[in-house]
């Protein structure tokens, strides 16, 4: 792995800008993009440096506005990897641009799971237990101890994670490109990304059918139970695929899809369907 002292002065400056800008990840969250605007803002110094012509920069900015959601502690590492790939794309004429979004999408899910478990599930609990012990003893430093115990490790990982991600990406992305394995990586990353999207669909899209078959006042067939026997999550999957079809094939905007889903949900609830 390349060491941080091998970075140029300009690259170190860009990494510092990325670190401070990355605090804005969830400053402007939307249901369709989550932290995409924060990612785009954090990556802007790199894009301004790597791309000279407006069209290439525009395409890069568009790539960085894709859906993004991960743990804030590992964000700089992922941004560093992404920046190294953008640099490679700017320098190589036939670089596979799809690999940038694919790798980013495939990493954000696992890093979110690890980060949430490690920092929110473990470190925060330990910090809170220490602070509560001090608070019960009447120590006024309890909240300060909690903030320091939690934030110092997080910021340490954030600061060095960006450098590691960038230097790691610089070396291995170049090697993958030279060996022709970049296409294999892109394919694998795309598959992982699709798996993550599928998991998110199953976990986040909910629809319970309450429209049952009733005979003489007695329920003889529960529709939701019957559907679950055929395919668990069949209706949420169908709704998701229908929205995707409207978005990609019919050009319906995300805002209209959100409004449509809200209206349909209200109508289904009012009619007793779901």
């Amino acid at each position: 792995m390349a060491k941080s002292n091998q970075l140029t002065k300009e690259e170190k400056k860009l990494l510092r800008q990325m670190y401070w800008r990355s605090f804005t990840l969830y400053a402007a969250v939307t249901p369709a993009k989550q932290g995409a605007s924060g990612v785009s803002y954090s990556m802007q110094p790199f894009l301004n440096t790597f791309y000279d012509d407006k069209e290439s920069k525009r395409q890069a900015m568009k790539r960085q506005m894709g859906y993004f959601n991960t743990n804030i502690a590992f964000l700089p590492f992922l941004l560093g990897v992404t920046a190294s790939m953008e640099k490679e794309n700017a320098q190589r004429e036939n670089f596979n641009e799809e690999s940038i979004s694919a790798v980013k999408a495939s990493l954000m899910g696992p890093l979110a799971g690890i980060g949430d478990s490690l920092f929110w599930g473990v470190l925060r609990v330990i910090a809170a237990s220490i602070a509560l012990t001090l608070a019960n003893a009447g120590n006024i430093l309890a909240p300060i101890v909690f903030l320091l115990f939690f934030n110092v490790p997080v910021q340490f990982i954030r600061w060095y994670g960006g450098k590691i991600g960038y230097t790691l990406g610089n070396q291995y992305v170049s090697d993958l490109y030279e060996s022709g394995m970049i296409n294999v990586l892109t394919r694998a990353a795309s598959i992982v990304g699709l798996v993550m999207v599928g998991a998110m669909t199953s976990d986040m899209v909910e629809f319970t059918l309450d429209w049952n078959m009733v005979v003489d006042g007695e329920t003889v067939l529960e529709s939701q139970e019957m559907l679950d026997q055929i395919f668990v999550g069949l209706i949420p999957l169908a709704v998701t695929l229908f929205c995707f079809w409207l978005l990609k094939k019919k050009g319906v905007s995300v805002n209209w899809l959100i409004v449509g889903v809200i209206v349909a949900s209200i109508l289904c609830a009012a009619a007793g369907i779901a």
Side-chain angles (χ1 to χ4, degrees):
M1 183 185 73
K3 298 180 180 180
S4 60
N5 58 14
Q6 293 177 326
L7 297 172
T8 65
K9 184 177 180 180
E10 178 66 19
E11 287 175 324
K12 291 179 180 179
K13 178 182 177 181
L14 293 174
L15 287 169
R16 286 195 300 270
Q17 291 177 334
M18 179 195 73
Y19 169 80
W20 292 112
R21 284 172 173 243
S22 65
F23 282 97
T24 65
L25 176 63
Y26 296 120
V29 176
T30 65
K33 299 291 186 178
Q34 290 295 323
S37 58
V39 171
S40 179
Y41 178 69
S42 302
M43 289 292 296
Q44 200 61 49
F46 289 102
L47 303 184
N48 290 337
T49 301
F50 296 155
Y51 296 102
D52 296 326
D53 62 288
K54 292 184 178 180
E55 180 58 26
S56 298
K57 187 185 297 185
R58 187 183 73 83
Q59 292 297 327
M61 293 174 64
K62 185 177 179 180
R63 276 195 300 275
Q64 300 309 320
M65 278 302 294
Y67 176 89
F68 189 89
N69 189 13
T70 197
N71 184 273
I72 190 69
F74 288 132
L75 171 64
F77 171 80
L78 186 47
L79 292 179
V81 174
T82 305
S84 68
M85 298 187 73
E86 290 287 2
K87 178 182 178 182
E88 201 73 19
N89 181 53
Q91 294 176 344
R92 296 183 182 273
E93 184 176 350
N94 297 321
F95 189 84
N96 187 351
E97 296 180 353
E98 295 180 0
S99 64
I100 301 174
S101 298
V103 169
K104 186 170 66 172
S106 66
L107 288 177
M108 67 180 181
L111 290 179
I114 296 171
D116 289 349
S117 299
L118 181 62
F119 297 108
W120 294 116
V122 178
L123 181 61
R124 183 179 60 166
V125 174
I126 295 174
S129 64
I130 295 174
L132 286 173
T133 301
L134 295 175
N136 288 332
N139 194 324
I140 61 173
L141 296 178
I144 299 177
V145 170
F146 171 76
L147 293 174
L148 290 176
F149 198 96
F150 179 78
N151 284 286
V152 169
V154 170
Q155 297 310 317
F156 179 85
I157 291 174
R158 281 172 46 80
W159 178 259
Y160 286 100
K163 295 181 179 180
I164 293 173
Y166 185 76
T167 53
L168 187 71
N170 266 342
Q171 177 180 348
Y172 288 103
V173 171
S174 179
D175 292 344
L176 286 169
Y177 185 88
E178 294 292 347
S179 64
M181 289 294 293
I182 189 67
N183 293 326
V184 177
L185 174 65
T186 303
R187 181 68 174 173
S190 298
I191 293 173
V192 174
L194 290 173
V195 171
M196 295 302 302
V197 171
M200 290 171 58
T201 299
S202 176
D203 184 60
M204 300 178 66
V205 183
E206 298 182 5
F207 189 102
T208 302
L209 189 62
D210 295 331
W211 193 10
N212 301 320
M213 184 178 293
V214 180
V215 177
D216 295 333
E218 295 185 3
T219 301
V220 297
L221 178 63
E222 293 187 1
S223 302
Q224 187 61 54
E225 182 179 344
M226 180 188 68
L227 289 175
D228 288 341
Q229 293 176 356
I230 299 173
F231 192 118
V232 176
L234 179 60
I235 297 181
L237 177 62
V239 171
T240 302
L241 293 176
F242 179 66
C243 291
F244 180 78
W245 177 76
L246 291 175
L247 183 66
K248 291 296 183 180
K249 300 297 183 180
K250 297 299 181 179
V252 179
S253 70
V254 173
N255 292 331
W256 280 113
L257 283 178
I258 294 174
V259 172
V261 169
I262 293 174
V263 172
S265 300
I266 294 174
L267 293 177
C268 287
I273 298 175

